[in-house]
């Protein structure tokens, strides 16, 4: 592990705060509170925020990188032709739809694509997107927006766009949106956010909130606090996480959804790394790696160790995570979502993450594209669709980035070829409704996250992109580069 120590660095307020964090004297999220119980610290951990983990850029494969970039452009041109300014394109029918609120477009695909364009050197497209955002985007909308999705997609997208371009307007819009989302946290008696907030009135709703939607804010709100000097965003995210973790069971497991008014669990099922819990665990680690938050690092270890202890099992030699009663450990189900594959690599346990990746590779071996949900006892399909999920490519990138094992590039390239073969249509890329049919049955939707994730993970895996700092970069659960973006040559 490579830890770089700056020599003769001037003492600044930020350096002093980070030193206090490293010494355990200050939680990086701000505010009081400690873990409900002492948590042992593993000896092998990444360095605090701002230091490298010894990651290196991949050996470039220019031909593959060029092909991935061209397919991204095919998807993007389909959006521009049929849905410019709207949230998502319907690439088969040539229509469009809004993601958050009918009749209220926020150019979601445009915001999602900002840093992807930058990383791929598509500066003309970056400029086109920024121009639309500066001219047309206004968050004074009298409609309920989902706080979680608005944060990882819009706040994250605008932050990454600002970090790529340094256009002040993007940061101002990002701050405006975050301010409109904050009532979801500040109106809650527990500090865990309501699920929806009206962007114009601040009215909140949705008291039963999935775990991921309680605790997936540390990265976006933390970066925004750093850029603006306003600690409200980081404190709101930190309190929400702390309140969820302290409600863990005696087995150190978390259930799936919380009532944010009463603070009680709304169910009893621990679903491990499946949605809607997945990114909660990712962001515990992200808070450590981005901001040096030791408390979140220790919670990540505590909770994931408990998941491995109580939920891991093998079927035909493959690693899976069963669903259990979070209080007793009683087995409640063996369904597994394809989204879960991307959680483990963030914590640096490469052996465990690799084991789980190979389980999903076994699923990929059986089908043209990976189905949404399987029963892992016999790898039978529960939900045969594929919503253009990027998690398998995300995991391949992370594991190759950390290990350099060519297996991950080989399997990621096969994933890409499957994308082209089964999701590509003349109008761009579309979802699959049934992966078990031959040929697969296609739907009519290109989710906006495709422009933030699928092609970006693949491009970074093969390109040695000069605009990304592979040694120090960090990407969010939505694939937004929140650290490590470079300007300059493409």
């Amino acid at each position: 592990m490579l830890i770089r120590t700056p020599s003769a660095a001037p003492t600044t307020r930020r350096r002093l705060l980070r030193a206090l964090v490293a010494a355990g004297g200050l939680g990086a999220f701000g505010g009081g509170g400690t873990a409900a119980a002492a948590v042992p610290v593993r000896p092998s951990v990444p360095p605090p925020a701002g230091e490298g983990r010894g990651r290196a850029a991949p050996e470039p494969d220019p031909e593959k990188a060029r092909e991935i970039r061209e397919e991204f452009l095919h998807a993007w041109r389909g959006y521009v032709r049929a849905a410019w300014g709207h949230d998502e394109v319907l690439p088969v029918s040539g229509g469009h739809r809004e993601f958050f609120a009918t009749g209220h477009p926020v150019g979601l695909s445009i915001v999602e694509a900002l840093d992807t364009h930058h990383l791929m050197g598509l500066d003309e497209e970056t400029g086109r997107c920024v121009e639309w955002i500066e001219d047309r985007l206004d968050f004074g909308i009298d409609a309920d927006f989902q706080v979680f999705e608005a944060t990882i997609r819009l706040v994250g997208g605008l932050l990454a766009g600002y970090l790529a371009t340094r256009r002040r307007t993007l940061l101002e819009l990002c701050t405006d949106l975050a301010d409109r989302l904050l009532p979801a946290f500040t109106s809650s008696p527990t500090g865990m956010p309501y699920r929806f907030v009206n962007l114009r009135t601040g009215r909140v709703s949705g008291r039963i909130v999935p775990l991921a939607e309680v605790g997936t804010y540390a990265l976006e709100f933390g970066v925004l606090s750093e850029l603006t000097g306003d600690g409200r965003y980081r404190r709101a995210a930190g309190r929400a996480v702390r309140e969820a973790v302290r409600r863990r069971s005696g087995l150190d497991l978390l259930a799936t959804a919380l009532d944010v008014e009463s603070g009680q669990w709304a169910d009893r099922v621990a679903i491990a790394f499946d949605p809607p819990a997945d990114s909660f665990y990712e962001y515990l680690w992200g808070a450590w790696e981005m901001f040096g938050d030791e408390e979140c690092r220790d919670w990540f270890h505590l909770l994931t160790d408990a998941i491995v202890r109580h939920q891991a099992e093998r079927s035909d030699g493959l690693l899976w995570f069963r669903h259990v009663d979070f209080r007793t450990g009683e087995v409640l189900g063996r369904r597994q979502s394809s989204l879960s594959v991307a959680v483990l690599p963030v914590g640096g346990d490469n052996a465990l993450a690799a084991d789980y990746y190979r389980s999903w590779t076994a699923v990929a071996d059986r089908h043209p594209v990976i189905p949404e949900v399987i029963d892992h006892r016999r790898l039978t399909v529960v939900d045969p669709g594929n919503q253009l999920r990027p998690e398998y490519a995300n995991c391949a990138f992370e594991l190759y980035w950390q290990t350099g094992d060519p297996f991950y590039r080989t399997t990621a390239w096969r994933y890409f070829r499957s994308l082209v073969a089964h999701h590509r249509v003349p109008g761009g890329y579309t979802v699959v409704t049934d992966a078990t049919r031959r040929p697969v049955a296609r739907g009519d939707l290109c989710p906006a996250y495709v422009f933030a994730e699928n092609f970006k993970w693949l491009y970074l895996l093969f390109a040695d992109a000069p605009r990304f700092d592979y040694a120090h970069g960090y990407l969010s659960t939505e694939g937004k580069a929140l650290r490590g973006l470079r300007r300059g040559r493409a």
Side-chain angles (χ1 to χ4, degrees), residues 41-159:
V41 178
R42 296 184 183 183
S44 178
V45 293
E51 303 292 347
R53 288 181 60 181
R55 293 165 168 163
E59 185 69 27
D61 190 329
E63 284 304 307
K64 286 186 172 63
R66 181 195 58 76
E67 191 171 342
I68 292 163
R69 185 176 184 267
E70 284 303 310
E71 290 306 312
F72 169 79
L73 280 169
H74 173 72
W76 178 249
R77 288 166 184 147
Y79 168 77
V80 170
R81 281 194 304 270
W84 179 251
H86 293 278
D87 288 355
E88 295 179 319
V89 63
L90 309 179
V92 176
S93 63
H96 53 74
R97 76 167 196 178
E98 314 313 343
F99 178 81
F100 290 100
T102 302
H104 297 285
V106 290
L108 180 59
S109 290
I110 294 173
V111 177
E112 294 260 42
L114 276 171
D115 68 325
T116 308
H117 287 314
H118 175 76
L119 287 167
M120 292 185 178
L122 301 168
D123 294 338
E124 185 175 336
E125 295 304 320
T126 304
R128 183 206 297 245
C129 292
V130 170
E131 183 179 4
W132 185 91
I133 290 168
E134 292 181 338
D135 290 347
R136 304 294 298 276
L137 189 54
D138 182 352
F139 291 120
I141 299 169
D142 188 10
D144 293 342
F145 272 50
Q146 191 176 350
V147 177
F148 166 75
E149 297 286 355
T151 300
I152 65 171
R153 292 167 170 241
L154 293 171
V155 173
L158 290 167
L159 279 174

Side-chain angles (χ1 to χ4, degrees), residues 48 112 166 206 309 388 447 451 481:
E112 294 260 42
R166 294 295 167 174
R309 188 163 55 248
L388 274 164
F451 300 112

Side-chain angles (χ1 to χ4, degrees), residues 385-426:
N386 181 294
Q387 299 296 308
L388 274 164
R389 297 298 185 192
E391 281 75 17
Y392 186 80
N394 177 350
C395 188
F397 168 76
E398 286 283 352
L399 287 172
Y400 182 79
W401 195 13
Q402 293 173 28
T403 69
D405 187 337
F407 171 75
Y408 301 112
R409 291 223 290 191
T410 299
T411 48
W413 184 249
R414 185 179 65 174
Y415 165 89
F416 171 68
R417 297 311 307 164
S418 294
L419 275 182
V420 176
H422 302 293
H423 290 277
R424 195 184 202 271
V425 293

Side-chain angles (χ1 to χ4, degrees), residues 337-352:
S337 166
S338 61
L339 278 73
S340 61
V341 68
V343 176
L344 281 171
V346 299
D349 188 336
N350 293 331
L352 188 68

